[in-house]
Amino acid sequence: MKDDFGLPYIGTGDLLRKHKDDGTELGREAGGYMEKGDLVPDGLVIRMILEEVEEKGDDGFLLDGYPRSAGQAEALADALEENGRHLTAALLIEADDETVIRRLSGRRQCIKSGHLYHVDFDPPKNEDGYCDIDGTRLFQREDDKPDTIRKRLATYHDKTEPLIDYYEERGLLRRFDGTREPNVVHGHVRATLATLRLEERL
Ligand code: AMP
């Protein structure tokens, strides 16, 4: 999406993991919550995301993994409104819990650049357990282990799912069938964003 539309990509999970790897104070605070599959407290995440939006988002932005709670959604709406701006859409890529568990538990990524694989659906072609591009070892995220995935799903249903109604009521929600093939989902999301861009001149 970021290549399709030339929009800066702001991924909350990626940003938090970078803070953790860099050993910043935010990273140290966030780490414990992430390993358990809990949400990082709103105050920390909101500040981090609003700073990124302010720094990179003048001509639009793609948020991934944010908002995950009502407080985060309100904070984003308020911050945008203060600058006379608003969200164009909230994209909901839907998949049942079983599908999510199968996908996350098989996900692997390379140590060097984070290139992604899946043990069943997209295994490396050259050598099992090693990245085709970098040749470095693949590892499994601590929070992609089955017990933590179940906790993350419970957190999602409790804290994040209510945002579906929140964005539906505001006419912003766009739904996609996330159980389809990645390229099919990509095509659907791209077509929707292309239409919105025409309408809004994003
Ligand atoms: P992700 O890579 O998006 O699945 O995020 C990994 C973990 O980072 C989550 O399980 C949370 O612990 C934390 N996290 C990511 N985004 C948020 C958010 N918007 N609010 C609170 N915690 C978050």
Side-chain angles (χ1 to χ4, degrees):
M1 290 305 147
K2 112 185 144 186
D3 295 336
D4 291 340
F5 295 98
L7 290 169
Y9 167 84
I10 303 175
T12 322
D14 287 352
L15 284 171
L16 289 169
R17 278 185 290 279
K18 179 147 194 330
H19 274 281
K20 246 182 94 184
D21 293 345
D22 292 349
T24 68
E25 198 186 323
L26 169 57
R28 278 195 297 278
E29 274 189 68
Y33 298 97
M34 295 168 78
E35 270 147 37
K36 280 190 268 167
D38 284 331
L39 290 185
V40 175
D42 277 358
L44 298 178
V45 176
I46 289 169
R47 187 152 27 97
M48 178 183 81
I49 287 297
L50 295 185
E51 276 171 20
E52 285 287 312
V53 168
E54 191 170 311
E55 199 179 305
K56 303 188 180 142
D58 277 357
D59 297 321
F61 52 86
L62 281 168
L63 286 176
D64 179 10
Y66 184 101
R68 266 162 143 130
S69 71
Q72 293 181 17
E74 296 285 357
L76 177 64
D78 290 349
L80 292 176
E81 202 180 300
E82 264 177 36
N83 294 311
R85 306 178 71 191
H86 61 271
L87 280 186
T88 306
L91 312 176
L92 173 64
I93 301 176
E94 291 181 284
D96 54 276
D97 285 7
E98 275 314 304
T99 302
V100 171
I101 292 169
R102 210 162 358 107
R103 288 183 183 173
L104 292 188
S105 57
R107 175 163 67 177
R108 301 289 183 274
Q109 63 192 94
C110 82
I111 289 177
K112 182 161 178 243
S113 319
H115 292 121
L116 289 168
Y117 297 86
H118 190 284
V119 289
D120 299 319
F121 309 137
D122 187 21
K125 290 175 186 58
N126 298 337
E127 193 182 354
D128 222 21
Y130 288 86
C131 178
D132 289 333
I133 301 160
D134 295 327
T136 56
R137 227 161 36 76
L138 303 183
F139 74 99
Q140 182 177 33
R141 266 168 56 173
E142 204 48 50
D143 62 348
D144 279 347
K145 308 226 160 123
D147 282 351
T148 317
I149 294 173
R150 273 187 278 276
K151 180 73 205 302
R152 287 163 69 195
L153 278 166
T155 304
Y156 170 78
H157 291 304
D158 183 32
K159 305 261 174 51
T160 308
E161 209 165 26
L163 294 181
I164 296 175
D165 286 344
Y166 174 94
Y167 284 118
E168 193 135 55
E169 281 159 19
R170 285 157 182 77
L172 292 174
L173 194 74
R174 300 288 184 280
R175 289 174 185 267
F176 302 92
D177 179 359
T179 64
R180 309 285 300 275
E181 297 279 302
N183 60 339
V184 175
V185 182
H186 177 196
H188 289 164
V189 177
R190 186 168 47 187
T192 298
L193 285 186
T195 308
L196 289 165
R197 172 172 262 189
L198 279 179
E199 285 169 6
E200 286 224 0
R201 280 191 239 97
L202 272 181

